[in-house]
Amino acid sequence: MSDAIERSGHIAELAFIETAVQAAGYQSAQTGSDDLSVEPELIVALDPDEDSRARSLRISFIPVGDEVESTKFVQLWVTLPFEVAADRVDAVRLATAIVNEHVALGRFGVDQDGSVYFRYVLAARAHTMIDDDLIAEVVSFVDFHQEHFGDFVEGVCDGNIEIEVLEHVIRAAG
């Protein structure tokens, strides 16, 4: 399959995903459709956090070309609205490892630049559309996980939660 055909398929399927996400009550917009230098993605507006900071979910296909024929991979990515100070990076990386043991899907991570993210990759059949109810539910799960569990990661970023008590705090919060 050519890259242009794969890209066109991704743009079309993102439009279907957008319809499902909007039906679930989220606002969204597709970007990158006209710019061949970037992968097209769907940006979904999530509710602001308790500090009124904007949050958004980026949905895109991971281009695999002819390497994988029967599976497509849909990445859901949220950059959390806070960054890690250089002196807290190791503690926050450890915190994400602890928190990741408690999430049902996806994982937290810390980029080299100190930004914290939540990422989930959905594997789906390559030659069928992703089910509307499935994608809406996955978006809802990602929304919940990054908001709820992200608070614990931010607590470690801020120094309000020490690593030694994180496991107990997260278990008690359920």
Side-chain angles (χ1 to χ4, degrees):
M1 178 184 329
S2 79
D3 289 343
I5 293 172
E6 182 179 39
R7 180 182 174 78
S8 294
H10 292 170
I11 291 169
E13 190 154 8
L14 282 172
F16 285 107
I17 291 172
E18 182 173 21
T19 300
V21 166
Q22 288 178 348
Y26 292 95
Q27 298 295 316
S28 60
Q30 200 172 147
T31 65
S33 299
D34 299 332
D35 185 352
L36 296 177
S37 67
V38 298
E39 286 299 316
E41 63 184 1
L42 180 65
I43 300 175
V44 179
L46 304 176
D47 289 334
D49 69 3
E50 63 275 355
D51 294 329
S52 300
R53 296 176 294 192
R55 298 177 305 120
S56 62
L57 165 66
R58 297 176 169 289
I59 302 174
S60 62
F61 287 88
I62 297 173
V64 292
D66 294 333
E67 296 172 30
V68 180
E69 293 181 17
S70 62
T71 308
K72 59 187 167 192
F73 300 96
V74 182
Q75 176 174 258
L76 293 90
W77 183 283
V78 179
T79 301
L80 279 74
F82 54 87
E83 291 185 1
V84 182
D87 64 331
R88 300 290 300 164
V89 169
D90 290 340
V92 173
R93 285 197 172 123
L94 181 54
T96 62
I98 292 168
V99 170
N100 285 342
E101 293 179 12
H102 297 275
V103 297
L105 56 81
R107 68 177 179 83
F108 287 91
V110 181
D111 276 339
Q112 295 295 84
D113 66 358
S115 61
V116 180
Y117 62 86
F118 184 83
R119 179 180 188 234
Y120 175 67
V121 176
L122 172 68
R125 291 182 180 191
H127 305 292
T128 61
M129 298 298 289
I130 295 173
D131 181 78
D132 288 356
D133 293 333
L134 171 68
I135 195 67
E137 197 163 272
V138 167
V139 166
S140 178
F141 259 85
V142 168
D143 187 9
F144 170 78
H145 278 64
Q146 61 79 39
E147 180 178 12
H148 178 70
F149 292 103
D151 289 344
F152 298 112
V153 175
E154 185 174 17
V156 173
C157 279
D158 296 343
N160 295 329
I161 300 175
E162 294 300 322
I163 290 295
E164 295 76 25
V165 298
L166 178 61
E167 187 79 40
H168 302 290
V169 171
I170 196 170
R171 204 174 282 140

